[in-house]
């Protein structure tokens, strides 16, 4: 595995880059906006293609690099379903799998530090965000933090992982880089408690100042999706009503860009085709199915995904590849469902 642990000294944030060599696809966890250019250089040096960028939660001490990375690399942005961010491409739930070219991460919902905190477990390691730190745990006194929920996340989820599991947190303020579940269970001072209430009493009396960047970082991290509108031009974006009209009046082909797991979980618009976003490049080659469909049905293609981010990026990609007139469903299947649109599931 290619594994890089990167550090932002201003906020003491750890960012992780993971890849296997097969197709050179990579994912990044908790990127910091000031370092996006260096991440992109590193990806180039390692000959990797960034396909997913994940934030463990809405950070209060730095602005996320998710949006800028997406704007540069057209990667898929990922957060947990409880996240308050306006748009991320993919929202994952408890115990979902995130696959990237031979790397499999499993989602563990670990609220407490914030109400949108998720950890991500691979075979031998877990990325804990701020839920579990080395020799500490994430504060629970803002962003809907809850020490009792944190206790549950720690004792009934993270500490139930095998003791040899490597722990990689989102922060360390003392120069530590990694630990193990077993070591933290035995030595982390915050975890040497006999009850949830004892833990809550500790957490409720920390009296910490707010992070310096909080007033800037949190609002910025909630609007990570806003800049995605730059990728679509007038007329390329249809709202749900326009999509319905188009479908009723003409032979529109809906193309679902989501992953198979999202389709099974949330269903799809009836009679839409499935072409996953991560296959876009090969699908747009002269022999690709999508390029053939787009050539034969110019002006009648509507792309959609979960929230309208991947589809906006794909419209731009297709236009740049010479396929004009492709449209996308604004705000994705979520908007379709919210306005009463029906979805299909396999029998
Ligand atoms: Fe945090």
């Amino acid at each position: 595995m290619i594994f890089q642990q990167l550090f932002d000294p201003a906020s003491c944030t750890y960012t992780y880059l993971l890849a296997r060599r097969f197709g050179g696809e990579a994912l990044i966890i908790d990127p910091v906006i000031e370092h996006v250019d260096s991440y992109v250089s590193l990806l180039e040096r390692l000959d990797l293609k960034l396909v997913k960028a994940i934030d463990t939660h809405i950070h209060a001490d730095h602005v996320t690099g998710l949006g800028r990375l997406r704007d540069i690399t057209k990667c898929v942005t990922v957060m947990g379903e409880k996240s308050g961010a306006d748009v991320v491409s993919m929202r994952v739930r408890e115990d979902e799998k995130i696959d990237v070219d031979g790397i499999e991460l499993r989602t563990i919902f670990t609220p407490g530090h914030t109400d949108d905190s998720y950890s991500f477990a691979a075979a031998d390691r877990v990325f804990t965000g701020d839920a579990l730190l080395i020799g500490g745990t994430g504060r629970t006194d803002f962003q809907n933090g809850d020490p009792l929920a944190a206790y549950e996340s720690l004792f009934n989820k993270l500490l139930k992982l095998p003791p040899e599991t490597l722990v990689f947190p989102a922060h360390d303020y003392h120069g530590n880089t990694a630990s193990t579940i077993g070591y933290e269970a035995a030595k982390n001072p915050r975890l040497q408690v006999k009850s949830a209430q004892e833990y809550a009493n500790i957490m409720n009396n920390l009296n910490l100042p707010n992070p310096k960047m909080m007033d800037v970082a949190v609002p910025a991290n909630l609007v990570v999706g806003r800049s995605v509108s730059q990728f679509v031009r007038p007329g390329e974006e249809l709202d749900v009503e326009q999509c319905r009209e188009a479908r009723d009046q003409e032979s529109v082909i809906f193309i679902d860009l989501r992953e198979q797991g999202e389709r099974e979980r949330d269903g799809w618009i009836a009679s839409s085709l499935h072409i996953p976003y991560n296959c876009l490049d090969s699908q747009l080659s002269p022999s690709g199915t999508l390029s053939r469909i787009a050539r034969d049905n110019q002006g009648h293609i509507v792309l959609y995904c979960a929230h309208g981010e991947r589809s906006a990026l794909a419209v731009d990609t297709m236009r740049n590849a010479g396929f004009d007139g492709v449209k996308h469903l604004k705000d994705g299947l979520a908007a379709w469902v919210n306005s009463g649109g029906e979805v299909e599931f396999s029998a």
Side-chain angles (χ1 to χ4, degrees):
M1 184 193 277
I2 295 169
F3 180 73
Q4 299 272 313
Q5 184 176 29
L6 309 159
F7 188 60
D8 171 52
S11 62
C12 292
T13 299
Y14 280 128
T15 299
Y16 300 95
L17 176 71
L18 287 82
R20 285 186 189 274
R21 189 64 276 164
F22 311 137
E25 294 187 345
L27 71 87
I28 198 163
I29 299 173
D30 286 332
V32 176
I33 195 164
E34 284 84 2
H35 303 296
V36 163
D37 289 345
S38 70
Y39 305 146
V40 171
S41 299
L42 179 60
L43 288 160
E44 280 174 14
R45 280 201 299 280
L46 299 177
D47 192 24
L48 296 172
K49 175 181 165 55
L50 186 68
V51 296
K52 288 202 170 108
I54 302 173
D55 262 358
T56 50
H57 62 291
I58 296 280
H59 294 282
D61 56 358
H62 66 270
V63 176
T64 175
L66 238 57
R68 189 171 290 177
L69 274 170
R70 175 208 55 215
D71 293 351
I72 295 172
T73 68
K74 291 193 171 171
C75 66
V76 173
T77 54
V78 181
M79 289 189 81
E81 65 170 341
K82 304 280 188 193
S83 169
D86 58 344
V87 175
V88 287
S89 281
M90 242 178 113
R91 289 172 184 266
V92 288
R93 294 179 188 172
E94 172 83 334
D95 205 27
E96 271 194 41
K97 292 200 172 59
I98 300 172
D99 283 310
V100 169
D101 209 2
I103 297 168
E104 190 176 280
L105 295 181
R106 184 171 63 84
T107 308
I108 310 174
F109 181 40
T110 49
H113 166 58
T114 65
D115 61 357
D116 71 338
S117 289
Y118 289 76
S119 298
F120 296 93
D124 64 342
R125 62 196 66 199
V126 59
F127 301 94
T128 54
D130 293 358
L132 174 60
L133 306 173
I134 299 171
T137 53
R139 61 193 295 176
T140 57
D141 57 339
F142 57 60
Q143 290 182 281
N144 300 319
D146 177 347
L148 296 174
Y151 180 90
E152 284 297 309
S153 297
L154 289 160
F155 284 87
N156 288 327
K157 291 190 173 174
L158 293 174
L159 296 189
K160 297 264 164 100
L161 294 169
E164 66 274 18
T165 306
L166 295 165
V167 172
F168 288 103
H171 295 289
D172 191 87
Y173 306 93
H174 310 289
N176 302 305
T177 54
S179 184
T180 62
I181 289 292
Y183 187 88
E184 292 306 311
K187 302 288 188 187
N188 187 322
R190 294 259 177 91
L191 303 181
Q192 311 313 308
V193 291
K194 292 194 172 53
S195 68
Q197 195 53 53
E198 185 184 349
Y199 184 73
N201 291 343
I202 293 173
M203 299 309 288
N204 287 336
N205 289 288
L206 294 177
N207 298 319
L208 298 168
N210 280 343
K212 287 193 286 285
M213 284 281 289
M214 187 168 170
D215 293 342
V216 174
V218 172
N221 291 338
L222 289 170
V223 294
V224 66
R226 188 174 285 170
S227 63
V228 80
S229 59
Q230 69 184 291
F231 289 100
V232 287
R233 294 182 179 170
E236 290 180 336
E237 193 160 74
L238 302 181
D239 61 24
V240 172
E241 206 43 53
Q242 290 169 314
C243 270
R244 280 213 191 90
E245 282 168 18
R247 191 176 64 166
D248 293 345
Q249 289 166 11
E250 46 186 302
S251 55
V252 169
I253 298 175
F254 284 95
I255 297 179
D256 182 0
L257 300 174
R258 294 169 305 150
E259 298 184 4
Q260 185 58 30
E262 297 174 275
R263 285 166 59 81
E264 288 168 9
R265 190 186 72 188
D266 299 326
W268 56 84
I269 296 173
S271 69
S272 53
L273 304 177
H274 181 213
I275 296 181
Y277 178 79
N278 64 354
C279 300
L280 206 57
D281 287 346
S282 62
Q283 285 284 337
L284 289 176
S285 69
S287 60
T289 305
L290 182 55
S291 84
R292 180 176 50 74
I293 294 169
R295 271 198 308 272
D296 295 346
N297 299 276
Q298 200 182 1
H300 298 278
I301 304 287
V302 178
L303 308 177
Y304 74 95
C305 58
H307 301 282
E309 186 171 285
R310 277 167 282 185
S311 55
L313 298 170
V315 163
D316 186 60
T317 299
M318 290 190 69
R319 187 188 338 96
N320 292 338
F323 299 98
D324 290 323
V326 177
K327 301 179 178 69
H328 88 119
L329 170 57
K330 184 176 188 299
D331 301 326
L333 190 72
W336 179 269
V337 170
N338 281 342
S339 63
E342 295 200 345
V343 290
E344 239 177 27
F345 290 86
S346 55

